Amino acid sequence: MTVIYLIRHGQANFGQQDYDKLSELGHQQAEILGQSLQPRLGQFDKVVLGSMLRHKQTTQQCLKGMEQDLAEPLWQVDANWNEYNHHDILARFGPEFADAPSIESWVRQQPNPKEAFETLFNKAMARWISGQHDDYEESWQEYQLRIKAGLENVIKHADDAKCIAVFSSGGPISVVSQSLLGVDPAKIMQVNWTLVNCSMTKLVSTGSRVFLSTLNDHSHFEGKPKHLITYK
């Protein structure tokens, strides 16, 4: 039996043109996660991560917190665990959302900016997930297939590893969870919006099947300052 921990990256610079890096808080979240895991798990037998910078930075800080000296060349980088391109998805929804400054300007003009952005993003995602448009860099179907391939790669190459960490993003973790729970793909954003930065979703692979054990565990932030719990 192999336990696979899907770990969402720490808080990134959402709303910025260069989103793919952790904020100062994101670094702190990842290290606190590692500190909480050290007495519980000891060390990971294997580390897998997407090829995005925020995945790498989260891995670095988590392993630092765990006091696990696992050299970077021993990490398994698999771009199948990368997030969807939210810039492209928003831009295809409307030309006024083509870049981060334009989106920020639009959001600022709304009576309720937070609610307006969530509504906008959900509509843009619904257009993508519908499969009725072929103008995206990566279709929804292609996205699902590569995440499935990512999970299959982890299981296939687990070897003797009993405890594997996969550092990824909210989208891939939502897709895996949605698939294992049999949730309608149209409702995937209801899963995605709830995933906390540096939360853990635990899978158990028995060899014959994979099942979801826990979803969105962020108990390592409980009892600590509330600002540690973020969603972007």
Side-chain angles (χ1 to χ4, degrees):
M1 183 177 74
T2 301
V3 176
I4 303 167
Y5 291 95
L6 305 183
I7 299 173
R8 190 186 180 200
H9 62 77
Q11 184 191 65
N13 288 307
F14 194 81
Q16 303 297 315
Q17 197 66 34
D18 183 14
Y19 171 59
D20 189 24
K21 60 182 178 181
L22 296 190
S23 66
E24 182 177 343
L25 178 60
H27 284 275
Q28 183 182 3
Q29 290 168 328
E31 187 167 358
I32 289 174
L33 168 63
Q35 290 170 352
S36 75
L37 290 177
Q38 201 281 330
R40 292 167 54 186
L41 303 180
Q43 295 189 339
F44 294 122
D45 297 322
K46 182 173 289 189
V47 168
V48 180
L49 63 153
S51 64
M52 307 181 95
L53 177 59
R54 57 188 184 270
H55 301 154
K56 178 180 178 180
Q57 291 175 328
T58 303
T59 304
Q60 290 172 328
Q61 293 301 116
C62 182
L63 294 180
K64 175 184 176 183
M66 294 180 75
E67 300 180 358
Q68 180 168 358
D69 186 19
L70 184 66
E72 189 173 330
L74 298 177
W75 304 352
Q76 181 183 329
V77 178
D78 184 354
N80 282 318
W81 289 102
N82 286 0
E83 185 59 286
Y84 49 70
N85 185 342
H86 72 274
H87 290 299
D88 181 58
I89 291 171
L90 285 167
R92 302 300 179 184
F93 186 68
E96 65 270 36
F97 309 118
D99 53 47
S102 298
I103 296 170
E104 183 178 5
S105 175
W106 179 85
V107 169
R108 287 180 182 274
Q109 297 173 38
Q110 308 307 308
N112 187 328
K114 182 176 183 296
E115 182 178 321
F117 177 76
E118 288 187 6
T119 299
L120 164 66
F121 200 80
N122 283 336
K123 287 181 177 179
M125 289 293 291
R127 181 184 188 272
W128 180 51
I129 291 171
S130 73
Q132 297 176 10
H133 308 272
D134 59 359
D135 52 351
Y136 295 100
E137 291 181 1
E138 179 181 43
S139 71
W140 166 246
Q141 183 178 16
E142 291 169 337
Y143 178 67
Q144 290 179 292
L145 288 174
R146 72 167 167 84
I147 294 166
K148 179 181 179 182
L151 181 57
E152 289 175 347
N153 286 340
V154 171
I155 295 170
K156 180 179 179 181
H157 300 291
D159 299 323
D160 295 328
K162 299 300 181 183
C163 182
I164 301 175
V166 177
F167 293 87
S168 184
S169 294
I173 295 171
S174 296
V175 168
V176 171
S177 302
Q178 166 260 321
S179 176
L180 293 176
L181 292 174
V183 175
D184 184 345
K187 296 181 179 180
I188 194 168
M189 288 308 295
Q190 295 180 24
V191 177
N192 205 356
W193 284 118
T194 66
L195 294 183
V196 172
N197 291 118
C198 279
S199 62
M200 298 193 306
T201 293
K202 180 180 176 181
L203 310 181
V204 177
S205 172
T206 64
S208 60
R209 70 187 187 99
V210 180
F211 63 90
L212 182 67
S213 176
T214 59
L215 174 65
N216 196 31
D217 174 18
H218 53 281
S219 57
H220 39 283
F221 296 142
E222 293 177 353
K224 294 183 172 64
K226 291 183 179 180
H227 74 281
L228 288 171
I229 298 179
T230 62
Y231 299 87
K232 298 179 182 178

